[in-house]
Amino acid sequence: SPGEVRERLQVTGRRIFTLDATRIALEEMGKNFPNTPLLGALARVTGAMSLESVKGQVRRELGKKITPQVLDSNLRAVERGYREVRGEDAGGVPS
């Protein structure tokens, strides 16, 4: 959790976000490619892009290179990263 990370690393005055991207990647894709769920988390945390735009980009970039089943597993990993990222503001309040 963000609170556990904050305590363990003695972080103060900063927002903290956590995601078990490795677990999600292994569950959805069967391989340790945590970058895919991290894309979803990045979209949610920054608000710089929508989940749908990230998924669209993944479809465009990977859709021609991998099987439809593998693409679907990557898209699920992106969605889970978006949904499962946990944050805490500098004061320790969940966000």
Side-chain angles (χ1 to χ4, degrees):
S1 74
E4 292 169 333
V5 170
R6 181 181 302 284
E7 185 176 315
R8 177 182 276 174
L9 299 179
Q10 299 179 354
V11 175
T12 59
R14 294 177 183 247
R15 292 172 35 192
I16 292 180
F17 296 92
T18 60
L19 178 70
D20 192 344
T22 295
R23 178 183 50 80
I24 293 170
L26 291 171
E27 289 174 2
E28 294 298 340
M29 299 181 290
K31 296 186 182 207
N32 188 11
F33 293 133
N35 55 323
T36 306
L38 285 169
L39 284 172
L42 183 64
R44 182 168 180 199
V45 167
T46 65
M49 60 207 107
S50 71
L51 176 59
E52 289 310 312
S53 70
V54 173
K55 288 171 57 178
Q57 189 65 33
V58 168
R59 280 187 196 96
R60 284 187 293 281
E61 293 296 322
L62 298 181
K64 297 175 186 172
K65 301 175 186 177
I66 58 180
T67 68
Q69 295 82 8
V70 174
L71 177 60
D72 287 345
S73 70
N74 276 267
L75 293 172
R76 287 193 308 271
V78 168
E79 287 183 36
R80 285 189 59 192
Y82 187 90
R83 285 193 324 267
E84 295 179 28
V85 66
R86 297 293 173 249
E88 190 176 274
D89 71 13
V93 176
S95 57

